[in-house]
Amino acid sequence: AVPLSFILFPLAEPLVTLLFGARWEEGGRALAAMSAFTAGWAFVSLAEHVAKVVDRPDVVLRLDLVAAASTVVLTAALVQVSLVAVGVGLSLSAIVVAAYSFSWLVRLTGTPLPRMAREVSPALVAATVMASSLWALDRLALDTGARSLAPGLALLALEVAVGAVVYVVTLFALAPGASRELTGWLTQRLGARHETEPPR
């Protein structure tokens, strides 16, 4: 969830501009501003599932209340500024509720905070490196959003591939075990998809 979320930061604006035209450029910037939203809610989803497993439905309610309150307060505070500011508000609310969910994950699982942080930080750092690299590549070299549709989409596909490589390499450098888990999961998923394809 983290790399898929963070990749919107560099690529959302050129993608929206290519698909819908230059007049939708602000919408692309707003989508980029929301790049922490999916990553933050991944922590919420995980915490809610753990709470259900250990029979703590009250935690689910608390998480939902914090999520609703932070979303309403932050977006309401920024809605008069701009559409991009609303996107920033949604990202900030996701970060707030992710931090709250993380604290509950520590308590519900009995896992020490330093160990939990060690498990999470490599993915966050690798995704940040990936997003920063792609932003520099797109803005300083390729300028994908200024291209025509077909070449622009081809360059975006290339950037996604480059981003995947940067993410996996950085993750492997920081946490070899996590990188092996990720590549093993991808191999398993691709193998399962191949097995379910009907014979020709």
Side-chain angles (χ1 to χ4, degrees), residues 7-200:
I7 202 170
L8 288 176
F9 178 73
L11 301 188
E13 183 180 343
L15 176 61
V16 170
T17 303
L18 280 172
L19 293 178
F20 302 109
R23 66 195 182 106
W24 285 91
E25 188 176 342
E26 186 180 13
R29 288 196 294 269
L31 184 57
M34 292 172 56
S35 58
F37 189 78
T38 302
W41 273 91
F43 286 98
V44 181
S45 177
L46 178 59
E48 288 185 342
H49 280 83
V50 170
K52 292 173 186 176
V53 168
V54 299
D55 197 23
R56 289 291 306 275
D58 60 299
V59 174
V60 177
L61 177 60
R62 294 182 187 188
L63 293 172
D64 289 343
L65 288 174
V66 170
S70 62
T71 301
V72 170
V73 169
L74 287 167
T75 54
L78 296 170
V79 71
Q80 298 300 325
V81 179
S82 68
L83 180 63
V84 176
V86 172
V88 171
L90 287 171
S91 279
L92 290 175
S93 70
I95 291 170
V96 168
V97 73
Y100 186 62
S101 300
F102 192 79
S103 69
W104 271 110
L105 281 169
V106 169
R107 281 182 273 182
L108 292 172
T109 63
T111 305
L113 178 60
R115 181 180 176 187
M116 189 78 82
R118 283 197 303 271
E119 292 294 330
V120 172
S121 57
L124 293 171
V125 172
T128 302
V129 171
M130 175 202 68
S132 303
S133 302
L134 289 183
W135 188 92
L137 176 64
D138 188 84
R139 302 308 191 273
L140 303 179
L142 299 180
D143 195 15
T144 308
R147 313 275 178 161
S148 57
L149 182 60
L153 291 177
L155 286 174
L156 276 177
L158 174 64
E159 288 179 327
V160 169
V162 170
V165 171
V166 170
Y167 178 79
V168 171
V169 168
T170 307
L171 188 65
F172 183 80
L174 296 172
S179 182
R180 283 193 294 270
E181 287 179 11
L182 175 63
T183 53
W185 178 82
L186 288 172
T187 302
Q188 183 181 28
R189 295 292 293 179
L190 291 173
R193 181 180 177 184
H194 178 71
E195 289 173 4
T196 57
E197 289 181 354
R200 296 179 180 177

